[in-house]
mmCIF file of all heavy atoms in Angstrom:
data_model
loop_
_atom_site.group_PDB
_atom_site.id
_atom_site.type_symbol
_atom_site.label_atom_id
_atom_site.label_comp_id
_atom_site.label_asym_id
_atom_site.label_seq_id
_atom_site.Cartn_x
_atom_site.Cartn_y
_atom_site.Cartn_z
ATOM 1 N N ASP P 181 -40.981 47.975 -43.989
ATOM 2 C CA ASP P 181 -39.584 47.968 -43.532
ATOM 3 C C ASP P 181 -38.665 48.598 -44.565
ATOM 4 O O ASP P 181 -37.729 49.328 -44.218
ATOM 5 C CB ASP P 181 -39.145 46.534 -43.242
ATOM 6 C CG ASP P 181 -39.807 45.972 -41.997
ATOM 7 O OD1 ASP P 181 -40.295 46.768 -41.182
ATOM 8 O OD2 ASP P 181 -39.851 44.731 -41.865
ATOM 9 N N ARG P 182 -38.926 48.319 -45.845
ATOM 10 C CA ARG P 182 -38.075 48.901 -46.893
ATOM 11 C C ARG P 182 -38.201 50.421 -46.907
ATOM 12 O O ARG P 182 -37.193 51.138 -46.984
ATOM 13 C CB ARG P 182 -38.471 48.329 -48.257
ATOM 14 C CG ARG P 182 -37.542 48.750 -49.395
ATOM 15 C CD ARG P 182 -38.124 48.390 -50.735
ATOM 16 N NE ARG P 182 -39.330 49.152 -51.024
ATOM 17 C CZ ARG P 182 -39.316 50.409 -51.484
ATOM 18 N NH1 ARG P 182 -38.167 51.026 -51.685
ATOM 19 N NH2 ARG P 182 -40.446 51.035 -51.728
ATOM 20 N N ILE P 183 -39.422 50.912 -46.813
ATOM 21 C CA ILE P 183 -39.621 52.365 -46.826
ATOM 22 C C ILE P 183 -39.020 53.008 -45.580
ATOM 23 O O ILE P 183 -38.355 54.052 -45.652
ATOM 24 C CB ILE P 183 -41.123 52.686 -46.943
ATOM 25 C CG1 ILE P 183 -41.663 52.227 -48.301
ATOM 26 C CG2 ILE P 183 -41.364 54.183 -46.769
ATOM 27 C CD1 ILE P 183 -43.158 52.416 -48.467
ATOM 28 N N SER P 184 -39.234 52.379 -44.420
ATOM 29 C CA SER P 184 -38.748 52.964 -43.167
ATOM 30 C C SER P 184 -37.234 52.913 -43.066
ATOM 31 O O SER P 184 -36.596 53.912 -42.692
ATOM 32 C CB SER P 184 -39.377 52.231 -41.974
ATOM 33 O OG SER P 184 -40.774 52.312 -42.008
ATOM 34 N N ASN P 185 -36.648 51.753 -43.383
ATOM 35 C CA ASN P 185 -35.224 51.551 -43.149
ATOM 36 C C ASN P 185 -34.343 51.931 -44.324
ATOM 37 O O ASN P 185 -33.120 52.044 -44.149
ATOM 38 C CB ASN P 185 -34.960 50.087 -42.786
ATOM 39 C CG ASN P 185 -35.655 49.674 -41.510
ATOM 40 O OD1 ASN P 185 -35.768 50.468 -40.579
ATOM 41 N ND2 ASN P 185 -36.135 48.444 -41.458
ATOM 42 N N GLN P 186 -34.927 52.133 -45.491
ATOM 43 C CA GLN P 186 -34.119 52.513 -46.644
ATOM 44 C C GLN P 186 -34.475 53.917 -47.142
ATOM 45 O O GLN P 186 -33.649 54.826 -47.089
ATOM 46 C CB GLN P 186 -34.290 51.473 -47.765
ATOM 47 C CG GLN P 186 -33.766 50.087 -47.405
ATOM 48 C CD GLN P 186 -33.886 49.105 -48.552
ATOM 49 O OE1 GLN P 186 -34.009 49.486 -49.711
ATOM 50 N NE2 GLN P 186 -33.864 47.825 -48.246
ATOM 51 N N GLU P 187 -35.696 54.092 -47.595
ATOM 52 C CA GLU P 187 -36.061 55.378 -48.183
ATOM 53 C C GLU P 187 -36.028 56.511 -47.155
ATOM 54 O O GLU P 187 -35.296 57.493 -47.319
ATOM 55 C CB GLU P 187 -37.456 55.285 -48.813
ATOM 56 C CG GLU P 187 -37.507 54.453 -50.088
ATOM 57 C CD GLU P 187 -38.881 54.532 -50.736
ATOM 58 O OE1 GLU P 187 -39.701 55.351 -50.297
ATOM 59 O OE2 GLU P 187 -39.130 53.757 -51.678
ATOM 60 N N ILE P 188 -36.813 56.377 -46.100
ATOM 61 C CA ILE P 188 -36.921 57.461 -45.119
ATOM 62 C C ILE P 188 -35.595 57.696 -44.406
ATOM 63 O O ILE P 188 -35.183 58.843 -44.189
ATOM 64 C CB ILE P 188 -38.051 57.159 -44.116
ATOM 65 C CG1 ILE P 188 -39.404 57.178 -44.831
ATOM 66 C CG2 ILE P 188 -38.033 58.154 -42.960
ATOM 67 C CD1 ILE P 188 -40.596 56.894 -43.944
ATOM 68 N N ARG P 189 -34.902 56.612 -44.050
ATOM 69 C CA ARG P 189 -33.620 56.789 -43.362
ATOM 70 C C ARG P 189 -32.593 57.451 -44.276
ATOM 71 O O ARG P 189 -31.825 58.322 -43.828
ATOM 72 C CB ARG P 189 -33.110 55.430 -42.881
ATOM 73 C CG ARG P 189 -31.762 55.507 -42.175
ATOM 74 C CD ARG P 189 -31.402 54.191 -41.545
ATOM 75 N NE ARG P 189 -32.276 53.887 -40.418
ATOM 76 C CZ ARG P 189 -32.161 52.796 -39.666
ATOM 77 N NH1 ARG P 189 -31.218 51.923 -39.929
ATOM 78 N NH2 ARG P 189 -32.991 52.593 -38.665
ATOM 79 N N LEU P 190 -32.575 57.080 -45.566
ATOM 80 C CA LEU P 190 -31.630 57.690 -46.495
ATOM 81 C C LEU P 190 -31.930 59.175 -46.688
ATOM 82 O O LEU P 190 -31.021 60.018 -46.690
ATOM 83 C CB LEU P 190 -31.680 56.960 -47.839
ATOM 84 C CG LEU P 190 -30.788 57.523 -48.954
ATOM 85 C CD1 LEU P 190 -29.328 57.479 -48.534
ATOM 86 C CD2 LEU P 190 -30.990 56.758 -50.253
ATOM 87 N N ILE P 191 -33.218 59.512 -46.850
ATOM 88 C CA ILE P 191 -33.591 60.915 -47.037
ATOM 89 C C ILE P 191 -33.251 61.717 -45.782
ATOM 90 O O ILE P 191 -32.729 62.850 -45.871
ATOM 91 C CB ILE P 191 -35.090 61.025 -47.376
ATOM 92 C CG1 ILE P 191 -35.384 60.374 -48.727
ATOM 93 C CG2 ILE P 191 -35.529 62.481 -47.407
ATOM 94 C CD1 ILE P 191 -36.849 60.254 -49.049
ATOM 95 N N SER P 192 -33.527 61.160 -44.612
ATOM 96 C CA SER P 192 -33.208 61.860 -43.361
ATOM 97 C C SER P 192 -31.701 62.066 -43.232
ATOM 98 O O SER P 192 -31.255 63.132 -42.774
ATOM 99 C CB SER P 192 -33.738 61.054 -42.169
ATOM 100 O OG SER P 192 -35.137 60.887 -42.244
ATOM 101 N N TRP P 193 -30.937 61.075 -43.634
ATOM 102 C CA TRP P 193 -29.475 61.211 -43.582
ATOM 103 C C TRP P 193 -28.993 62.293 -44.538
ATOM 104 O O TRP P 193 -28.112 63.097 -44.188
ATOM 105 C CB TRP P 193 -28.839 59.863 -43.930
ATOM 106 C CG TRP P 193 -27.336 59.901 -43.940
ATOM 107 C CD1 TRP P 193 -26.497 59.860 -42.867
ATOM 108 C CD2 TRP P 193 -26.488 59.992 -45.101
ATOM 109 N NE1 TRP P 193 -25.185 59.905 -43.270
ATOM 110 C CE2 TRP P 193 -25.156 59.988 -44.635
ATOM 111 C CE3 TRP P 193 -26.732 60.054 -46.460
ATOM 112 C CZ2 TRP P 193 -24.070 60.068 -45.506
ATOM 113 C CZ3 TRP P 193 -25.651 60.134 -47.335
ATOM 114 C CH2 TRP P 193 -24.342 60.130 -46.858
ATOM 115 N N GLN P 194 -29.563 62.359 -45.728
ATOM 116 C CA GLN P 194 -29.180 63.388 -46.687
ATOM 117 C C GLN P 194 -29.540 64.782 -46.179
ATOM 118 O O GLN P 194 -28.767 65.737 -46.335
ATOM 119 C CB GLN P 194 -29.849 63.120 -48.034
ATOM 120 C CG GLN P 194 -29.319 61.881 -48.739
ATOM 121 C CD GLN P 194 -30.122 61.535 -49.977
ATOM 122 O OE1 GLN P 194 -31.260 61.970 -50.144
ATOM 123 N NE2 GLN P 194 -29.524 60.731 -50.862
ATOM 124 N N LEU P 195 -30.715 64.921 -45.563
ATOM 125 C CA LEU P 195 -31.090 66.207 -44.976
ATOM 126 C C LEU P 195 -30.136 66.618 -43.862
ATOM 127 O O LEU P 195 -29.755 67.789 -43.748
ATOM 128 C CB LEU P 195 -32.520 66.124 -44.436
ATOM 129 C CG LEU P 195 -33.656 66.146 -45.467
ATOM 130 C CD1 LEU P 195 -34.985 65.800 -44.803
ATOM 131 C CD2 LEU P 195 -33.737 67.500 -46.149
ATOM 132 N N GLU P 196 -29.726 65.653 -43.046
ATOM 133 C CA GLU P 196 -28.797 65.943 -41.960
ATOM 134 C C GLU P 196 -27.437 66.366 -42.504
ATOM 135 O O GLU P 196 -26.803 67.289 -41.975
ATOM 136 C CB GLU P 196 -28.665 64.720 -41.052
ATOM 137 C CG GLU P 196 -27.703 64.883 -39.891
ATOM 138 C CD GLU P 196 -28.165 65.919 -38.873
ATOM 139 O OE1 GLU P 196 -29.325 66.370 -38.953
ATOM 140 O OE2 GLU P 196 -27.353 66.280 -38.010
ATOM 141 N N GLN P 197 -26.992 65.708 -43.575
ATOM 142 C CA GLN P 197 -25.712 66.090 -44.170
ATOM 143 C C GLN P 197 -25.759 67.503 -44.739
ATOM 144 O O GLN P 197 -24.790 68.265 -44.623
ATOM 145 C CB GLN P 197 -25.326 65.086 -45.267
ATOM 146 C CG GLN P 197 -25.060 63.680 -44.773
ATOM 147 C CD GLN P 197 -23.998 63.616 -43.704
ATOM 148 O OE1 GLN P 197 -22.894 64.151 -43.876
ATOM 149 N NE2 GLN P 197 -24.312 62.980 -42.588
ATOM 150 N N LEU P 198 -26.871 67.850 -45.347
ATOM 151 C CA LEU P 198 -27.020 69.217 -45.855
ATOM 152 C C LEU P 198 -26.995 70.231 -44.714
ATOM 153 O O LEU P 198 -26.358 71.294 -44.819
ATOM 154 C CB LEU P 198 -28.325 69.342 -46.634
ATOM 155 C CG LEU P 198 -28.333 68.824 -48.082
ATOM 156 C CD1 LEU P 198 -29.731 68.897 -48.666
ATOM 157 C CD2 LEU P 198 -27.361 69.619 -48.935
ATOM 158 N N ARG P 199 -27.697 69.913 -43.632
ATOM 159 C CA ARG P 199 -27.719 70.829 -42.497
ATOM 160 C C ARG P 199 -26.329 71.011 -41.907
ATOM 161 O O ARG P 199 -25.913 72.145 -41.577
ATOM 162 C CB ARG P 199 -28.666 70.294 -41.424
ATOM 163 C CG ARG P 199 -28.873 71.242 -40.258
ATOM 164 C CD ARG P 199 -29.628 70.551 -39.128
ATOM 165 N NE ARG P 199 -28.822 69.537 -38.488
ATOM 166 C CZ ARG P 199 -27.900 69.800 -37.549
ATOM 167 N NH1 ARG P 199 -27.661 71.045 -37.171
ATOM 168 N NH2 ARG P 199 -27.208 68.817 -36.996
#
Side-chain angles (χ1 to χ4, degrees):
D181 289 341
R182 187 191 66 81
I183 294 176
S184 301
N185 298 324
Q186 295 183 20
E187 289 186 9
I188 294 180
R189 179 172 291 181
L190 177 60
I191 295 172
S192 300
W193 179 79
Q194 291 172 341
L195 285 170
E196 179 66 11
Q197 295 304 308
L198 280 174
R199 186 190 69 81

